[in-house]
Amino acid sequence: MSTTSTAVRSHAEAVEVSRMIDYFGLFILFFTLIGGYHVHGMLTMGDWDFWSDWKDRRLWVTVYPIVQVTFPAAVQAVVWERLRIPWGATACVLAILLGEWINRYFNFWGWTYFPINFVFPTAAVHMAIWLDVVLMLSGSFLFTAVVGALGWGLLMYPGNWPIIAPLHVPVEYNGMLMSVADIQGYHYVRTGTPEYIRMVEKGTLRTFGKDVAPVSAFFSGFMSILIYFIWHFVGRWFGTVKFVKRT
Amino acid sequence: MAATTGTASAAAEAPLVDKKWLAVAIGIYSVFYAWVRWYEGVYGWSAGLDAFAPEFETYWMNFLYIEIVLEVTTASILWGYLWKTRDRNLQAIAGTREELRRNFTHLVWLVAYAYAIYWGASYFTEQDGTWHQTIVRDTDFTPSHIIEFYLSYPIYIITGFAAFIYAHTRLPYFDYQKKGISLPYLVVVVGPFMILPNVGLNEWGHTFWFMEELFVAPLHYGFVFFGWMALGILGTLLQVFASFANLIGRELCGEEVYSGGDAAQWPE
C-alpha cells in the first residue's frame, strides 16, 4: 500500500523523473513548433524562402525578418518569464530549419526534382542567437524589442551573404542582364508559378542603386521591433494557465 | 528472501514510463508516413496529373474514400473508448504513484500529437507547395491534398483530441468536473483542428479565381491564423509541469517549495 501512496520514493528518483519530464517537454515543444512556426512561415514568407531567384536584395530582406520574429517573441515571452530558459528564439529557428531542410531534400528535390542549391532555406540561427543573447543579458523585453529585434532584421542579409552572393553574380544571357539565380529559375520551370509572379526588386527603391539591401534591412529591423513587441504579448496570452468552466 | 520478494513486486509494478507505447507512437507515424511518401512518389507522377483519367480514380480517389472511412471509424472508436472508460473518481488517485504514471502516459499522448502535427503542418504542407508550384491543378483533390488535407490533418486532429480527452478524464490536475477545461489545451487542439474546415475557404478560392500558386497569397492566411494556435502548447506544457510539480515537488526541492495540495499553480 505504501508503494502507491506516494508518487516518488526518494530524492534520487524525483531527480530522475524531473529529467524525463524535461526530455518529454523538449520533444513536445520542439515538434509542435516545427508545425506551427513552419506553416506560419511558409505561407507568409515562403516563396522568398523556397527559391533562390526570389532571394533578392529587397523583398526577401524585408519580409523574412518581419514575419519570422513572431514565434521567437512569443516563445521567449513564456520560456524566459516562466522558466528562465534563454534559448526560446533559437529553439524556434532550429525547429523551422529542421522542417524546411527535411522538406527541401525529400520533397523539393526528392519529389519534384529541383536541385538543393535552388531551394535551400534562409539561414537564421545567427539572428536567433542574437535575440536570445540580448534578452538573457538585458532581462528586458523592451530592450530586446528595440535592440534585439532591430539586430534580428539587420543581421539577416549579412548572414545569408556567403551563400547568396555567388547566385547574385550578374551574367549576360541571350543578350539580357540576369543573375545566376535568374538563370536557375529559367531552367527549372515552375509551371504553377509563372515567371511574372516573381516579385523581385520591383519599384522605385531600385533608384537607390547599391543601397537597396541596407535600406531594406533597416526598414525590416524597424518593423521587427514593432512585431516583436506585439508578439511577446501574444506569447503571454498563449502561455495562459487558465481553466474555463461551463457557464 | 525479502530482497527476492521485493524485486518480484517491483518487477510486477507497471513502469512510470511505458516505453513500448512511446516506441509505438513514434514508430507507427514514421513507418506509415514513409509508406505514404513512397506512394506519392510512385503514383503522383504516374497517375496523379490528370483528374479525369481512369487511373486517377483508381489510385487517388479510392485512396481518398478509404482514408475518410478509416478516419471517421478510428476517431469514433478511440474517442468513444477514452470517454466511456473515463475515471469517475479522479481525486481518489491524487498524489499517488498512479497519478504520476498517468502523467507520463499523458506525455506519450502529447509526444504523439506533436509528432503528428509536424508531419501534417510542416512536412506535408510545404510538400504541397512544391507540388502545386510545379504541377497545374485541375481538381481540389490533387494527390498532395489527398495526403495533406484529408490524411495528415485528420490524423493529428484525432491524436490531439485523444490526448485532450485523456488529460481531462484521467489526471486530477485536469479534472474537468472540478476545474473545468484547460484554456491553452483547448486552443492547442481546437486551433489546429480549425485548419481542416479552413480548407473549405482555400479550395473555394482556388476554384473561383483559378489563381496561380503563390504560397504567400492572402487566401492562405486562414491557415496561418490557425497555425498560431499551436502556441497553445506553451500554456499546456506549463500546466503539465505544474501537474508533475504537485507530485515530485516535495522530494525534488524540499518543503519550502512544496506547500501541499494543488500547490504548483502559476500566477496569472
Side-chain angles (χ1 to χ4, degrees), chain A:
Chain A
M1 187 62 195
S2 62
T3 56
T4 56
S5 60
T6 57
V8 284
R9 291 159 184 149
S10 64
H11 173 71
E13 190 184 33
V15 171
E16 188 186 346
V17 164
S18 79
R19 288 289 83 80
M20 283 196 288
I21 299 164
D22 289 343
Y23 293 131
F24 271 102
L26 280 173
F27 185 97
I28 293 162
L29 177 65
F30 192 76
F31 275 81
T32 311
L33 280 179
I34 300 181
Y37 195 23
H38 197 181
V39 80
H40 161 89
M42 73 178 78
L43 296 171
T44 51
M45 59 77 192
D47 299 279
W48 287 277
D49 197 63
F50 296 159
W51 318 105
S52 68
D53 62 341
W54 277 69
K55 289 184 168 67
D56 64 345
R57 299 175 302 169
R58 196 183 98 160
L59 283 167
W60 176 45
V61 186
T62 306
V63 173
Y64 184 94
I66 294 172
V67 300
Q68 289 298 91
V69 80
T70 49
F71 271 59
V75 173
Q76 273 193 336
V78 175
V79 301
W80 174 256
E81 198 163 89
R82 298 288 202 182
L83 307 169
R84 277 294 179 267
I85 288 174
W87 39 252
T90 306
C92 289
V93 166
L94 288 176
I96 193 171
L97 280 174
L98 179 66
E100 287 173 342
W101 272 109
I102 289 174
N103 228 287
R104 306 301 160 86
Y105 184 78
F106 285 105
N107 295 321
F108 280 67
W109 158 241
W111 200 21
T112 46
Y113 310 116
F114 295 106
I116 286 294
N117 80 341
F118 184 43
V119 295
F120 57 87
T122 309
V125 174
H126 60 295
M127 302 150 67
I129 290 174
W130 167 258
L131 210 54
D132 278 333
V133 167
V134 171
L135 178 61
M136 184 175 66
L137 294 181
S138 70
S140 161
F141 285 112
L142 183 62
F143 191 81
T144 308
V146 176
V147 176
L150 180 64
W152 166 274
L154 290 174
L155 284 171
M156 184 270 195
Y157 199 70
N160 283 275
W161 180 248
I163 197 164
I164 202 66
L167 301 176
H168 281 185
V169 170
V171 288
E172 186 186 321
Y173 186 74
N174 290 340
M176 293 173 65
L177 178 63
M178 305 179 83
S179 70
V180 174
D182 286 332
I183 293 176
Q184 285 184 306
Y186 248 42
H187 280 277
Y188 292 96
V189 176
R190 289 146 292 178
T191 322
T193 309
E195 188 70 14
Y196 63 82
I197 284 183
R198 286 199 302 140
M199 293 185 278
V200 178
E201 294 192 11
K202 288 178 180 175
T204 55
L205 194 59
R206 288 300 302 276
T207 59
F208 277 40
K210 62 184 170 55
D211 298 327
V212 173
V215 169
S216 301
F218 197 48
F219 170 57
S220 182
F222 164 63
M223 286 301 296
S224 295
I225 292 171
L226 303 178
I227 298 294
Y228 183 97
F229 193 70
I230 294 167
W231 268 76
H232 101 281
F233 286 113
V234 172
R236 284 181 180 173
W237 189 84
F238 280 113
T240 180
V241 288
K242 283 182 181 165
F243 283 78
V244 288
K245 287 194 168 176
R246 191 185 301 167
T247 53

Side-chain angles (χ1 to χ4, degrees), chain B residues 9-124:
Chain B
S9 75
E13 187 187 54
L16 285 176
V17 182
D18 195 336
K19 290 175 181 158
K20 177 185 75 213
W21 282 112
L22 189 60
V24 166
I26 298 291
I28 279 183
Y29 290 133
S30 301
V31 172
F32 176 67
Y33 282 135
W35 174 79
V36 167
R37 176 62 186 79
W38 169 84
Y39 191 95
E40 287 180 318
V42 173
Y43 297 109
W45 289 104
S46 66
L49 303 183
D50 180 0
F52 297 94
E55 61 266 27
F56 191 94
E57 185 73 21
T58 302
Y59 290 100
W60 288 106
M61 293 312 289
N62 283 332
F63 194 112
L64 176 69
Y65 304 141
I66 292 168
E67 72 188 6
I68 288 174
V69 170
L70 289 177
E71 285 153 12
V72 172
T73 307
T74 305
S76 305
I77 293 173
L78 181 61
W79 297 346
Y81 171 81
L82 286 169
W83 178 252
K84 288 292 286 182
T85 59
R86 66 189 181 276
D87 190 336
R88 290 157 202 267
N89 186 17
L90 274 179
Q91 296 311 314
I93 63 150
T96 65
R97 199 167 178 81
E98 175 60 17
E99 186 187 354
L100 187 58
R101 191 174 291 113
R102 289 187 189 183
N103 266 282
F104 274 113
T105 304
H106 177 230
L107 283 183
V108 174
W109 273 111
L110 282 178
V111 163
Y113 184 43
Y115 198 45
I117 282 209
Y118 157 69
W119 282 103
S122 172
Y123 187 87
F124 287 112

Side-chain angles (χ1 to χ4, degrees), chain B residues 222-246:
Chain B
F223 295 119
V224 176
F225 178 77
F226 292 117
W228 294 346
M229 304 301 149
L231 284 169
I233 198 66
L234 295 167
T236 305
L237 281 175
L238 290 178
Q239 292 182 326
V240 167
F241 296 154
S243 178
F244 273 106
N246 282 333

Side-chain angles (χ1 to χ4, degrees), chain B residues 200-261:
Chain B
L201 163 67
N202 186 65
E203 295 313 291
W204 178 80
H206 276 292
T207 307
F208 197 74
W209 294 299
F210 195 73
M211 61 181 68
E212 298 89 349
E213 189 66 32
L214 181 69
F215 236 39
V216 297
L219 176 64
H220 293 157
Y221 290 174
F223 295 119
V224 176
F225 178 77
F226 292 117
W228 294 346
M229 304 301 149
L231 284 169
I233 198 66
L234 295 167
T236 305
L237 281 175
L238 290 178
Q239 292 182 326
V240 167
F241 296 154
S243 178
F244 273 106
N246 282 333
L247 296 165
I248 66 170
R250 176 186 288 146
E251 286 77 6
L252 193 65
C253 304
E255 292 290 341
E256 64 275 16
V257 171
Y258 184 85
S259 58

